[in-house]
Amino acid sequence: MTAPPAKSPDQPSDKLDAAVLKIASVVVLGAIMSILDVTVVSVALPTFMSEFEATYATVAWTMTAYTLALASVIPLTGWAADRFGTKRLYLTALVLFVAGSVLCSVAWDVTSLIAFRVVQGFGGGMLMPLGMTIMTRAAGPHRVGRVMAVLGIPMLLGPIGGPILGGWLIDVATWHWIFLINLPIGLIALIVAVVVLPKDAPKASESFDFRGMLLLSPGLALFLFGVSSIPETGTVFSARVLVSGLAGLALIAAFVVHALRTDHPLIDLRLFGNRQLTFAVLTMSVFAIGFFGAGLLFPSYFLQVRGETTLAAGLLLAPQGIGAMLTMPIAGQLVDRIGPGKIVLTGLALVALGMSVFTQVGVDTGYPLLLGALFVMGMGMGCTMMPTMTAALQTLTDSSIARGSTLMNIVQQAAGSIGTAMMSVILTSRIIAPQGAPEGSSGQPDAEMLAQLPPEMQQSVLSSLAEAFGFTFLVATIVMVFALIPAAFLPRKRAEKPEGTGAPVVMH
């Protein structure tokens, strides 16, 4: 038997060493807070409605404002990471996020809560792209798949832990604690970051693209504001949606023209000259519209149609996270060996298969079937999200990684917001006045009004509501199938080291 060739002493190991894992612990802590905060607040909306005596459309802005702030600050992150250093910026983002969390916990009305969520979003928006940049630089391009698998941990804990934690804290304490919980986690992350993260080596290179910032950040915020207003206004043709959306698109279009004419734009659109990154962006866009758009519907189905408590609804979503937990580490290793193409195609097929079960949901659909479908979807998500991120970043040079991760995060946030608004509009349009059923402020049947109806009328309304959910899940499933098209162009071989990187970059 011929012995396998010995590794050259200069050839880097594929395994993540202790130094990289220590850095990963800091990044994961920050990302967990940022992602967990989205799902924790989602189950608190009914509590905000009663606490602040506000409509659903109003309290929904506690989530929308966070997303808008998060998306607006992401474009600045790539330049700031290069200019000031990733460690300093990461510490700043942590402080801003924790401060915003504490402010949210002392909010005295819904307006102040929405304002403080903006502060929180500014910090949260920098945590994930910065974490991706720090980890990718620390591990080197040859281990990007494993790095993305580690960064996928927050993606798993968010869907599992968020609804459960939020429901539990509201049940045993008060809504204030869904924000105060970030204080001890944030302090631990700050201390560990100061000790573990390597010293900065900021570059005094490019000047800041102020014109690009004044075009792109407001453009993204206005566009997402317009899109997010569709469920509240009930139509695309309202002045609020059209004026904001079109103004945002005009600013984004102006930024595209500006970015292609300047040497150091805020977001380097020339990265789209990289074929692999382009198809990864297209795959992520379509996937995020379908997956995140449908994501908020699962707890709503369990709460509204099946009458579950917030804690029970959170627990019922756990199989999705468990499925992803099983496949994500395996997918991360396989991507480094065989490329992302086959992994992502398999993942998208699994997500579409699991989601297709929900197209047939009713008032009494068996829980074993639904939980099994969520588990299959989770397995698919574990094979899709981070491998797609890997496909985008693994061929970039070290100097382009910060800009590439920033671009991918903008795409993910924008597409997720579009998907959420789109699915909300479809769901609301299918529910309107089934057989004279009462409507709540959100366009969906109000629980208190339903309780006053005769049992047979309640059953009729709930059946109509279940059909509306099923149709919306059908649209989301079709979107997931379309994501297979750009995914088919992703590479199916191990990535070669990008030109100009030299040896893989490892931070000490």
Side-chain angles (χ1 to χ4, degrees), residues 241-329:
V241 172
L242 284 178
V243 172
S244 301
L246 292 177
L249 283 175
L251 288 172
I252 293 171
F255 171 78
V256 171
V257 174
H258 163 76
L260 294 175
R261 293 178 177 176
T262 189
D263 292 333
H264 303 294
L266 189 66
I267 298 296
D268 190 359
L269 298 181
R270 296 180 185 89
L271 290 174
F272 283 110
N274 182 318
R275 180 178 180 273
Q276 183 167 323
L277 179 137
T278 300
F279 282 113
V281 166
L282 290 173
T283 303
M284 178 60 75
S285 300
V286 183
F287 167 77
I289 288 173
F291 188 82
F292 293 112
L296 287 178
L297 300 183
F298 294 117
S300 295
Y301 167 76
F302 289 126
L303 289 166
Q304 293 180 269
V305 179
R306 307 306 289 266
E308 300 290 350
T309 64
T310 53
L311 180 56
L315 290 169
L316 287 168
L317 295 176
Q320 188 175 35
I322 294 170
M325 192 177 295
L326 292 176
T327 57
M328 193 171 285

Side-chain angles (χ1 to χ4, degrees), residues 301 305 358-359 361-363 461-471:
Y301 167 76
V305 179
F358 280 85
T359 65
V361 289
V363 177
V461 172
L462 289 176
S463 296
S464 297
L465 186 56
E467 289 176 11
F469 273 101
F471 180 82

Side-chain angles (χ1 to χ4, degrees), residues 33 73 79 85 110 172 229 248 263 273 297 303 322 337 384 401 456:
M33 288 194 301
V73 78
W79 170 83
V110 71
V172 303
S229 298
D263 292 333
L297 300 183
L303 289 166
I322 294 170
R337 295 177 185 173
T384 302
I401 286 174
E456 60 274 11

Side-chain angles (χ1 to χ4, degrees), residues 384 432 484:
T384 302
I432 291 178
L484 291 166

Side-chain angles (χ1 to χ4, degrees), residues 34 66 70 73-74 93 96-97 119-129:
S34 176
Y66 180 84
L70 189 145
V73 78
I74 286 176
L96 201 56
F97 183 84
V119 176
Q120 199 182 26
F122 284 145
M126 291 187 282
L127 288 175
M128 198 61 185

